[in-house]
Amino acid sequence: MKNIKVIYPGTFDPLTNGHLDLIERGSKIVDELVVAILLNSDKGTPLFTVAERFEMISQSVKPFDNVSVMTFDGLLVDFARAQGAKAVLRGIRAITDYEYEFPMAMMNRKLAPDLETIFMMPTEQYTYVSSRLIKNVFELGGNVSELVPPLVMQRMRARLSQKS
Ligand code: PNS
């Protein structure tokens, strides 16, 4: 019997309902799904530390028995290989995502020909949702409560009240 393990990598700063939707979809078609948080992202100052993101994601994926959370550094393909993963899962919302994802998938294939990249689309309701937009709108006072898990919303509010 094959045990198909797949890595869902990202920055997840913060986890959105779009990510969670993809996690749920992914968990239904693989044996094991590992949500892998990149440790040293070059995306500038994060809203949450990796430890905070780890905790929020761990809580949010509790309903899914075959989903775990890890962190990784260095090349994704090395992490995937070390984990014995068969594929990487990524979400595609719009054509612009494809332009970002395609070279990464091809580079990963060049580096690790046996590792597949699987793309899945989130539910239509979250196709415009990104962590970047969530942070931006929230910091400007917009309501994003329907777009992130309740725990993330709670932590974002707490972070804002710490700042002020
Ligand atoms: O959520 P993000 O920020 O779009 O995720 C990007 C991520 C983490 C998938 C990508 O930056 C990555 O894999 N980084 C690890 C370093 C690496 O392997 N780089 C080469 C990829 S072609």
Side-chain angles (χ1 to χ4, degrees), residues 8-13 19 36-43 72-79 88-90 93 100-109 111 131:
Y8 179 38
T11 311
F12 305 108
D13 184 42
H19 292 133
I37 310 167
L38 178 64
L39 280 171
N40 290 319
S41 167
D42 57 6
K43 285 189 169 173
F72 78 104
D73 214 349
L75 283 178
L76 173 62
V77 292
D78 290 341
F79 174 74
V88 166
L89 172 66
R90 293 285 290 170
R93 293 159 300 186
Y100 170 62
E101 297 294 335
F102 183 78
M104 283 205 294
M106 288 300 114
M107 180 59 85
N108 286 337
R109 178 174 285 172
L111 298 170
S131 298

Side-chain angles (χ1 to χ4, degrees), residues 63-77:
F64 314 116
D65 287 345
N66 60 344
V67 180
S68 58
V69 188
M70 293 183 81
T71 58
F72 78 104
D73 214 349
L75 283 178
L76 173 62
V77 292

